[in-house]
Amino acid sequence: MAVDLLLGLQWGDEGKGKIVDVLTSNYNIIARFQGGPNAGHTLVFNGMKHVLHTIPSGIFHEKAINLVGNGVVIDPVIFKKELEKLAPHNIDYKKALVVSRKAHLILPTHRLLDAASEASKGKAKIGSTLKGIGPTYMDKTGRNGIRVGDLELDNWKEKYRLLANKHESMVSFYNVDLQYNLEELEVEFFEAVDVLKTLKFIDSEEYLHQAQKDGKAILAEGAQGSLLDIDFGTYPFVTSSNTTAAGACTGLGIAPGSIGKVFGIFKAYTTRVGSGPFPTELFDEDGETMGRVGNEFGATTGRSRRCGWLDLVALRYACQVNGVTQLMMMKADVLSGFKSLKVCTAYRYRGEIIHHLPYNVEAKNVTPIYTDFEGWAEDLTEMNNDSILPKPLNAYIDFLEKELEIPIKVVSVGPDRKQTIFR
Ligand code: GDP
Ligand code: IMO
Ligand code: MG
């Protein structure tokens, strides 16, 4: 059976966690394919809110298996905390959660390296979540990393020591003032590794091949967003993995031909957390309203998210890179009350009008060209049927579908599972 993909089309935080949770009842396996605890995926149901970082967003459904794929980087300390938060929900995670042996581990010294690297960059910093993501993927591609499967070997701590020592000398190379107590960090780390070791480690590519043969329905869950992709994002202000559709192939061991539907998720406007270009960013009252009404604060770091109008140039690019087959528009409710709305349909780039994302998206090169739309006053949060959506919202949706040539199958009107309209 084909594997469906779900991924973010902007700079992350599109609402992936919510939609994975909504869709999980259609799937047997939910498989995270990249990223790590830099992600924060929020689920809201039965009046409760849950934020997941590494654990796939299908974990609250009794029947689904949640798989952490080889493309993911795992910090055992954060993973342990996530498991502890699940405790009140009586989830049998030894059954419901499996971990790829080939997933790489984030060590305490990876976090230190992340902090040192960012501090050394000064104003040019990436705005990393400081979870050690970049240094861990660097060790992966540099062929120095420690993988989950290594924890089953007797000598893994020797390998750990060598790598941690090397990291410490690299930290001092940065020559920044970083206070830390590695011994304390290691006590916490080794305790967390013991908890991680109580989970089932698997050869996940083999597991998924067999599941496909057995006709199981699989949904691959992305993290971050397409504009944070290491290759296709706004480099260097990106994360260190392939967040786009191809990342699901390498991050799970799935063949390209076995990919079925590609669900692309976007907000009805745009947000970004951390540094880097953002052509449609607003610095006025409209941007402030989006942030306040949309409660735009990072689920992982609590930082406020930058807000702006929807950018169709960037969105079209993301749809192309991912081969999106259907779209899901999130947070439409946040736009209620705006007298008029804007959508960026082209850029003025060095005096020329262009419709594609150029190599250099910096503000000094790019001025967005907008089309205006009528706003709507109605509160959408209680609406449960697309036939009652306000006319101006339908006009907004129709325009996006025409421009992108992809149907918008879901309109989300609130954070709760139930606030989801299928079209
Ligand atoms: P993810 O990283 O893509 O899973 O998204 P986050 O969880 O980081 O951020 C999305 C935020 O928007 C969370 O606080 C969600 O609870 C919330 N959310 C999701 N969908 C909607 C929606 O349709 N309307 C509103 N108002 N909030 C939403
Ligand atoms: P989810 O899965 C939004 C951003 C950071 C920073 C850049 C690099 O919740 O959508 P990193 O920690 O990877 O070195 O940070 O990427 N970033 C995210 N922004 N949502 C995320 O994940 C993000 N993960 C990383 O803010 O700008
Ligand atoms: Mg998030």
Side-chain angles (χ1 to χ4, degrees):
M1 217 167 143
V3 178
D4 294 340
L5 306 187
L6 180 145
L7 34 82
L9 300 177
Q10 295 161 318
W11 280 288
D13 302 330
E14 296 88 351
K16 299 174 291 292
K18 166 179 167 164
I19 294 295
V20 170
D21 172 58
V22 167
L23 295 182
T24 296
S25 47
N26 303 333
Y27 292 93
N28 304 105
I29 300 171
I30 307 298
R32 233 317 263 282
F33 60 85
Q34 47 65 237
N38 48 350
H41 294 179
T42 313
L43 285 61
V44 178
F45 54 87
N46 300 341
M48 277 192 291
K49 175 174 149 175
H50 309 269
V51 180
L52 297 166
H53 301 286
T54 325
I55 294 174
S57 303
I59 195 69
F60 292 101
H61 292 253
E62 218 177 296
K63 289 199 184 116
I65 298 288
N66 289 265
L67 184 151
V68 180
N70 58 279
V72 177
V73 290
I74 301 174
D75 183 335
V77 176
I78 294 177
F79 202 83
K80 175 171 172 269
K81 287 185 187 148
E82 282 189 72
L83 290 175
E84 285 164 359
K85 283 201 183 139
L86 292 182
H89 301 279
N90 292 325
I91 293 162
D92 185 0
Y93 59 76
K94 288 182 186 162
K95 250 194 189 156
L97 191 55
V98 293
V99 181
S100 170
R101 288 197 172 88
K102 293 194 173 83
H104 279 245
L105 291 178
I106 301 176
L107 312 184
T109 45
H110 283 129
R111 273 186 271 137
L112 298 177
L113 280 170
D114 214 358
S117 166
E118 281 285 81
S120 74
K121 285 189 164 129
K123 275 193 182 152
K125 69 174 183 181
I126 308 290
S128 163
T129 61
L130 301 179
K131 302 294 176 196
I133 304 296
T136 306
Y137 279 114
M138 279 162 75
D139 268 340
K140 174 178 177 172
T141 52
R143 295 154 297 174
N144 300 310
I146 296 183
R147 300 190 288 179
V148 165
D150 292 336
L151 302 177
E152 294 172 323
L153 307 175
D154 293 333
N155 68 344
W156 83 269
K157 281 196 180 163
E158 290 164 33
K159 206 174 159 183
Y160 167 84
R161 190 76 271 144
L162 284 174
L163 190 56
N165 288 348
K166 181 176 143 193
H167 288 162
E168 273 212 285
S169 48
M170 288 163 73
V171 168
S172 58
F173 168 81
Y174 278 106
N175 203 17
V176 292
D177 181 25
L178 193 67
Q179 307 292 327
Y180 64 90
N181 181 333
L182 186 56
E183 266 175 42
E184 269 177 26
L185 294 174
E186 285 182 343
V187 169
E188 191 188 30
F189 177 73
F190 289 124
E191 269 176 28
V193 164
D194 286 339
V195 172
L196 182 63
K197 283 169 83 172
T198 62
L199 294 187
K200 195 166 170 190
F201 298 164
I202 59 166
D203 297 328
S204 54
E205 62 281 26
E206 186 57 36
Y207 181 94
L208 288 171
H209 293 161
Q210 194 54 50
Q212 277 179 268
K213 271 193 189 165
D214 295 343
K216 301 271 196 248
I218 303 167
L219 177 66
E221 173 179 1
Q224 289 80 55
S226 303
L227 304 175
L228 289 170
D229 183 278
I230 183 72
D231 284 285
F232 301 108
T234 45
Y235 191 89
F237 301 101
V238 294
T239 191
S240 299
S241 62
N242 280 118
T243 59
T244 44
C249 296
T250 55
L252 293 172
I254 285 169
S258 62
I259 291 177
K261 295 180 196 131
V262 180
F263 304 114
I265 311 232
F266 69 101
K267 279 180 190 167
Y269 49 101
T270 309
T271 65
R272 168 162 212 174
V273 61
S275 328
F278 179 176
T280 61
E281 182 169 11
L282 289 168
F283 301 95
D284 60 5
E285 209 179 300
D286 284 340
E288 191 271 325
T289 305
M290 283 173 194
R292 182 172 33 80
V293 179
N295 195 21
E296 294 295 357
F297 296 95
T300 295
T301 58
R303 293 178 291 176
S304 50
R305 298 178 182 141
R306 302 153 62 191
C307 297
W309 297 118
L310 189 62
D311 183 344
L312 267 190
V313 178
L315 198 54
R316 189 180 300 114
Y317 173 80
C319 289
Q320 284 164 356
V321 169
N322 290 304
V324 170
T325 60
Q326 46 185 288
L327 290 161
M328 299 174 165
M329 186 171 89
M330 311 300 289
K331 299 192 113 169
D333 54 300
V334 175
L335 294 184
S336 290
F338 281 88
K339 279 219 167 62
S340 68
L341 306 171
K342 287 183 193 296
V343 172
C344 166
T345 46
Y347 294 155
R348 192 174 301 281
Y349 179 72
R350 295 177 174 166
E352 248 182 87
I353 292 179
I354 60 168
H355 294 87
H356 68 277
L357 202 68
Y359 179 76
N360 195 333
V361 216
E362 280 171 34
K364 66 176 190 312
N365 297 324
V366 169
T367 313
I369 297 173
Y370 289 111
T371 300
D372 289 318
F373 290 84
E374 187 190 336
W376 58 89
E378 293 90 332
D379 175 7
L380 309 180
T381 56
E382 301 284 323
M383 296 190 181
N384 54 12
N385 185 323
D386 82 314
S387 67
I388 53 173
L389 293 179
K391 254 193 186 158
L393 171 57
N394 277 325
Y396 190 79
I397 293 170
D398 286 349
F399 179 80
L400 301 182
E401 285 187 324
K402 275 201 195 93
E403 285 285 314
L404 297 168
E405 299 178 79
I406 304 169
I408 296 178
K409 292 284 197 182
V410 166
V411 177
S412 175
V413 292
D416 195 279
R417 245 184 211 171
K418 288 191 189 135
Q419 293 170 303
T420 312
I421 298 175
F422 288 87
R423 300 174 78 234

